[in-house]
Amino acid sequence: EIIPSTMRASRTYSFDVGRTPPVVLEYVDATAQQVAVSGAPTNDTAVTMERDGELFRAELYDLQPGRYTYHLLVDNKHPPPDI
């Protein structure tokens, strides 16, 4: 058995245990300026989605298993055009 004569500590790392993965919502719209999601998963609070070109994306964390209803607000209008 080899026992090291010196000991070095690495930097601290962290990870989540038991946290549910996020629910990812995506919406594609070439003409929209801003998109938000609101409803049961956000406690009826409008959460602005991150924009990447035509793609709008939101990650919702810590949702319990079940069925949720939500709606999108596209440029502050509900429902979005063409849905």
Side-chain angles (χ1 to χ4, degrees):
E1 183 175 330
I2 298 175
I3 300 173
S5 60
T6 60
M7 186 177 216
R8 288 188 174 175
S10 70
R11 73 176 186 88
T12 304
Y13 296 93
S14 65
F15 55 91
D16 291 329
V17 175
R19 185 173 186 184
T20 58
V23 173
V24 178
L25 301 175
E26 294 182 337
Y27 177 73
V28 177
D29 190 328
T31 62
Q33 297 300 307
Q34 180 181 12
V35 179
V37 59
S38 182
T42 64
N43 295 319
D44 292 318
T45 301
V47 173
T48 302
M49 300 175 84
E50 296 290 323
R51 182 179 188 170
D52 183 10
E54 297 179 1
L55 175 68
F56 293 84
R57 187 173 194 268
E59 293 184 1
L60 305 177
Y61 291 90
D62 301 323
L63 295 176
Q64 298 300 314
R67 181 177 293 260
Y68 293 87
T69 58
Y70 67 94
H71 58 271
L72 298 175
L73 298 162
V74 178
D75 295 335
N76 294 315
K77 297 175 187 166
H78 172 69
D82 301 325
I83 289 184

